[in-house]
Amino acid sequence: MSAPTAGTRVEQLPRSGIRVMAELARRTDGAIRLDIGDPDFATPAHVVDAIARAAADGHTHYGPASGLPSLRAALAESMSCSPEQVVVTVGAAGALFCSLLAIADAGDEVLLPDPGWANLVPMTLAAGARPVPYPLDRATGFEADLDALVALIGPRTRALVLNSPANPTGAVFSREAITAVATLAAERGIWLISDECYDALVLEGEHVAAAAVSPEPAGVVTVRSFSKTFAMTGWRVGYVVATPEIAALVARAQEAVLSCPATPVQLGAEAALCGPQDSVEEMRAAYARRRELALSTLDAGSAGYVRPRGAFYVMVDIAPSGQSSQDFALRLLTESKVAVVAGSAFGLRGEGLVRVSFAAPDEAVARGLTLLAEGLHTHWKAA
């Protein structure tokens, strides 16, 4: 007799380079954490109170697969749509995955940004689809290259994922760029999945919702989250806005793999959405200040970067070190105890860069980037 073996599908999924670095950083005493995109702010007190009150009042049972009606109604009002178009999900990751399950069939192709969020590739593979990277142009602040997108669309292309404000680049696409991508998707009859999880964290310019500028808004699936806006990463609440037909399929996918979002947390999300918004602006102002601190520190250390316009990340140029981004990130953690994420974790076009998160205290940002710049020049001379 022999023990059964595991399947190969999950084993073949690439691991998130963000999570790999986070695990290494957690095992490094005294590490300066500039790796993970987790706000260092506490969830607003009125939100925590609402969750605790909901649990104490017995709201601890199953809810609908599509989310609590009261939260869906509040989200619908904020998004100027009907509640039937809204599905509350287990984080934005759940929103993206369930959207892919609802839209893509086995063998379909999904166009993904490169560099783009590390989970998109394994998520697409897990949904049975084929990830096809499309280039983001560093020279234009990591906006999409429309000509490259046109060349990549084929008979099996089912969807295109757009992310603005963007992780990992901090790019905020212009209205013209988002309109052009949305128009292309509509003309070619492919779904546009618009990841807008950082919509409240625009530091320059404006946030443009893809559905608002698309000539075919019914072809846009919008994904947003409470995680970054309200410092609720650990509570896991996201949502999808789509046509009622697609929303119903997203809810069915969530029912199959996750049952439903946590009930008391949804009531906390409702309190976040409908309650005081002071903390949102306070956090955005702090990120704006930390961005300037990060960039001035990099300037002082003669380290190159691409100026971010949103979110809380900056991509730093480490190509002069002569090392791969992974080797540089590991050496920086080992020798200087500073954790950043290798650009290669976000796609081939992330090579030569590292992602730095400034969702960290001011002193950590300043000290960590000073050590990064010092390490860059030390490694450069050693090369």
Side-chain angles (χ1 to χ4, degrees):
M1 296 179 64
S2 60
T5 59
T8 60
R9 179 185 300 187
V10 173
E11 186 179 35
Q12 292 173 354
L13 296 179
R15 289 218 50 207
S16 165
I18 304 169
R19 291 287 179 168
V20 170
M21 180 54 70
E23 290 170 5
L24 293 173
R26 277 194 290 270
R27 297 199 296 266
T28 303
D29 290 339
I32 298 173
R33 300 293 303 275
L34 305 180
D35 54 311
I36 198 159
D38 191 353
D40 62 314
F41 298 99
T43 303
H46 71 281
V47 176
V48 177
D49 289 345
I51 295 170
R53 187 165 56 252
D57 289 347
H59 296 286
T60 55
H61 302 280
Y62 289 125
S66 55
L68 295 178
S70 59
L71 178 55
R72 291 174 68 203
L75 286 167
E77 183 177 354
S78 74
M79 297 293 289
S80 301
C81 66
S82 70
E84 291 73 27
Q85 293 177 258
V86 179
V87 181
V88 184
T89 59
V90 181
L96 287 163
F97 184 55
C98 289
S99 295
L100 287 168
L101 288 174
I103 286 171
D105 289 324
D108 283 345
E109 294 179 349
V110 179
L111 297 175
L112 304 177
D114 180 7
W117 183 46
N119 288 41
L120 287 173
V121 169
M123 189 179 288
T124 301
L125 291 169
R130 177 173 172 260
V132 177
Y134 67 86
L136 300 182
D137 188 355
R138 181 175 172 184
T140 61
F142 289 112
E143 285 198 346
D145 183 331
L146 200 65
D147 290 337
L149 268 175
V150 170
L152 289 168
I153 295 174
R156 296 306 304 267
T157 304
R158 186 68 170 167
L160 185 161
V161 176
L162 180 69
N163 177 211
S164 176
N167 176 9
T169 64
V172 175
F173 283 26
S174 66
R175 179 175 293 270
E176 294 74 18
I178 291 180
T179 301
V181 173
T183 300
L184 175 63
E187 290 175 346
R188 297 301 182 94
I190 61 177
W191 290 99
L192 177 61
I193 301 175
S194 185
D195 176 352
E196 301 176 12
C197 291
Y198 293 86
D199 64 299
L201 298 180
V202 175
L203 308 179
E204 286 180 31
E206 61 173 342
H207 171 65
V208 178
V213 297
S214 172
E216 188 57 64
V220 179
V221 176
T222 301
V223 170
R224 293 191 181 179
S225 173
F226 286 80
S227 290
K228 316 298 182 177
T229 303
F230 298 102
M232 292 178 66
T233 52
W235 298 103
R236 311 309 303 136
V237 191
Y239 55 101
V240 171
V241 179
T243 64
E245 295 77 16
I246 291 298
L249 292 177
V250 170
R252 187 185 300 186
Q254 177 159 261
E255 178 183 275
V257 299
L258 296 165
S259 292
C260 62
T263 301
V265 176
Q266 290 185 76
L267 292 170
E270 188 176 336
L273 185 68
C274 301
Q277 302 297 302
D278 309 45
S279 61
V280 177
E281 177 52 30
E282 289 170 3
M283 287 187 280
R284 193 207 64 79
Y287 295 137
R289 185 188 70 249
R290 290 171 181 177
R291 178 187 65 162
E292 297 312 311
L293 173 61
L295 301 189
S296 64
T297 304
L298 290 168
D299 286 337
S302 300
Y305 55 84
V306 180
R307 182 179 178 86
R309 301 177 66 233
F312 38 58
Y313 308 107
V314 57
M315 296 293 272
V316 180
D317 186 356
I318 56 87
S321 72
Q323 300 175 77
S324 71
S325 59
Q326 180 68 11
D327 287 345
F328 182 89
L330 290 173
R331 188 168 179 180
L332 186 66
L333 179 62
T334 301
E335 298 184 8
S336 302
K337 292 192 174 184
V338 178
V340 299
V341 182
S344 58
F346 307 103
L348 292 176
R349 294 177 74 89
E351 188 51 78
L353 303 163
V354 294
R355 190 195 76 174
V356 173
S357 168
F358 47 87
D362 292 33
E363 58 272 19
V365 172
R367 180 61 178 159
L369 289 179
T370 297
L371 290 170
L372 184 153
E374 290 175 355
L376 174 63
H377 294 300
T378 298
H379 301 166
W380 189 353
K381 291 176 182 176

